[in-house]
Amino acid sequence: GLEAFKSFIADPLAQPDTMLMTVLQGKVKTPTIFLLIAGLIMVVTLWTSRKAKAVTKTTLDLTRQEEGYERFNSSAFARVIVRHSRVAGGFFHRIIPATVLKSIEKRFEPSPEIKGAGVVSFDLVRASVILVVAAILIAIGTSLKLPLSTTYVTFMVAMGTALADRAWGRESAVYRITGVLTIIAGWFVTAFLAFTASFLIANLINLGGLVAIVILIILTVFLAIKTQLNHKNKNKSEEGQELQATTNGTYTFEILSSCTNNVVEVLQSVSKNYVMVLSGLISEDRKILKNTNREIKDLNLRAKELKDNIPITIANLPLDASDIGHYYIQEVDYLREVAHCMTYISQPAFKHVENNHKALIPAQVEELSYLGQQVEHIIREILSIINNMDVSKIDELIKLQQTILEATDQYRKNQLKRLKSELVGTRNSLLFIGLLHETRNLLLHLINLSKAHRDFLLNKE
């Protein structure tokens, strides 16, 4: 780019739309200072950028040995590959002599403890292989003037070593292969999109001139900031979901602390979003319902990940903490059910408004407003119990829950009367009765959640 600009400036008669880039046919020397600055930027970025760390984390997740939450779902193609690989593996297992198989198995036994160094980390050995092999391939390719992608080479070397050292077992193979296929497909799609976008932007600049350039710069800045904020929020969410294992002694405390934080965050989210759903439905505000739906979807994903990570969490508990594990599973189960209830409350409300069905009548608005206040109140009481660790108020909470349940029963009867007298239609009735039903379920799960947390606190010693 710089050499092309210098060539253009050197010729006073040159026109940008007719000048040929013949100057670039020969050798173009890049100033050393540019290479040094570019290298420095890359080093700093790899060290500090959250996005760079996210790329590394994806690779690590696809190569890790231990089981756990898989960020990619299985695909039909991945299942076919694994199925046929198992058949081929079975064939070779039958024809290879037993002594050879036994010799191969020994290669995968964990390394013994080295004096003064502890157990050898197999992940570190694999990381060394990945770096050395990838560097060799990139160096050879570059010397042969091949257009190699360093990211692609490093990634595929990592996948190959993970496959070779049995990090991809039957429990994880389909998910890992789906991840690899998804990422490779993403690179091809990116290339096509970059090609298309470059074509469109070049034409826009050609037709719009300076005005188009200014608009594109403003759009680029806006998209860059928005992407950065979205990525930051996503990282915060992921960091909040991870519970790192340390020693057995502190891990039990971390689970207790994590459980309390998860319960508090979920309850705060439920209280806010339940009221927002009713508010959006009553005012027929599509935007409020759409945003609330998005937040509840995130809540569901978080609850699902917590449940998927239960085996890893329990496996790291000391043997004398089995009761803690039992109550932890209970809490996570109830958190998942609460999230489900919120989904079944928010989605029908959004669809009702999205499809422009008739608004709620005043009597329904009054009843739902009361429910919103009471649900908000009962969640505040649960949060007070958790924050103050005062489990003696659970009985009062159950009485309050019973009062609200009786109100939902009465509202259901009222709705049936309105339906018979043709004050409301079928769609209105399905929505309203569905909201009442899921509100009952929500209250039951909230109380069960508070009871499980009470048992958790009482058994924390």
Side-chain angles (χ1 to χ4, degrees), residues 419-431:
L419 180 61
K420 287 182 178 180
S421 59
E422 297 184 352
L423 289 174
V424 295
T426 305
R427 295 190 184 280
N428 178 291
S429 295
L430 288 172
L431 172 69

Side-chain angles (χ1 to χ4, degrees), residues 324-343:
I324 287 287
H326 169 70
Y327 294 120
Y328 176 78
I329 292 172
Q330 274 193 328
E331 285 211 47
V332 173
D333 280 341
Y334 289 131
L335 284 176
R336 185 82 169 114
E337 293 302 325
V338 166
H340 276 148
C341 288
M342 289 303 299
T343 300

Side-chain angles (χ1 to χ4, degrees), residues 238-286:
E238 288 180 355
E239 286 169 7
Q241 293 161 9
E242 292 176 358
L243 180 62
Q244 299 296 332
T246 52
T247 61
N248 282 343
T250 59
Y251 194 73
T252 307
F253 172 77
E254 285 190 13
I255 289 181
L256 177 63
S257 176
S258 174
C259 245
T260 302
N261 292 337
N262 288 330
V263 171
V264 168
E265 288 178 15
V266 168
L267 290 178
Q268 289 173 340
S269 176
V270 168
S271 177
K272 171 193 164 189
N273 288 314
Y274 184 84
V275 173
M276 292 301 290
V277 167
L278 298 187
S279 173
L281 179 61
I282 290 169
S283 62
E284 295 186 273
D285 193 322
R286 178 183 173 278

Side-chain angles (χ1 to χ4, degrees), residues 124-350:
L124 290 180
V125 175
R126 190 199 305 132
S128 302
V129 173
I130 290 169
L131 289 175
V132 173
V133 174
I136 291 171
L137 288 173
I138 292 164
I140 293 172
T142 303
S143 67
L144 296 174
K145 299 183 180 179
L146 296 174
L148 285 182
S149 164
T150 53
T151 307
Y152 177 78
V153 171
T154 309
F155 177 77
M156 293 312 295
V157 169
M159 297 305 106
T161 46
L163 175 62
D165 68 23
R166 297 182 181 178
W168 294 3
R170 288 181 63 177
E171 296 292 326
S172 60
V174 287
Y175 309 111
R176 306 288 175 87
I177 292 172
T178 300
V180 173
L181 295 175
T182 302
I183 290 169
I184 294 173
W187 283 332
F188 281 104
V189 171
T190 302
F192 175 76
L193 290 177
F195 173 86
T196 307
S198 301
F199 170 78
L200 293 174
I201 289 172
N203 277 284
L204 283 173
I205 292 173
N206 186 44
L207 295 172
L210 184 61
V211 175
I213 292 173
V214 172
I215 292 172
L216 287 171
I217 289 173
I218 293 171
L219 181 63
T220 302
V221 172
F222 170 74
L223 291 174
I225 294 172
K226 186 178 179 182
T227 303
Q228 186 66 24
L229 291 174
N230 287 342
H231 192 78
K232 187 176 180 182
N233 292 333
K234 184 181 177 183
N235 276 342
K236 273 187 182 178
S237 175
E238 288 180 355
E239 286 169 7
Q241 293 161 9
E242 292 176 358
L243 180 62
Q244 299 296 332
T246 52
T247 61
N248 282 343
T250 59
Y251 194 73
T252 307
F253 172 77
E254 285 190 13
I255 289 181
L256 177 63
S257 176
S258 174
C259 245
T260 302
N261 292 337
N262 288 330
V263 171
V264 168
E265 288 178 15
V266 168
L267 290 178
Q268 289 173 340
S269 176
V270 168
S271 177
K272 171 193 164 189
N273 288 314
Y274 184 84
V275 173
M276 292 301 290
V277 167
L278 298 187
S279 173
L281 179 61
I282 290 169
S283 62
E284 295 186 273
D285 193 322
R286 178 183 173 278
K287 187 176 180 181
I288 288 177
L289 290 171
K290 186 177 180 181
N291 292 336
T292 306
N293 252 322
R294 191 182 297 117
E295 288 190 27
I296 291 172
K297 186 178 179 181
D298 292 340
L299 178 66
N300 261 286
L301 287 173
R302 173 159 188 190
K304 181 181 183 301
E305 288 178 1
L306 285 170
K307 190 164 184 176
D308 290 343
N309 282 327
I310 281 177
I312 299 174
T313 305
I314 301 304
N316 284 282
L317 279 172
L319 290 174
D320 58 352
S322 57
D323 285 346
I324 287 287
H326 169 70
Y327 294 120
Y328 176 78
I329 292 172
Q330 274 193 328
E331 285 211 47
V332 173
D333 280 341
Y334 289 131
L335 284 176
R336 185 82 169 114
E337 293 302 325
V338 166
H340 276 148
C341 288
M342 289 303 299
T343 300
Y344 299 141
I345 288 171
S346 68
Q347 285 185 352
F350 175 67

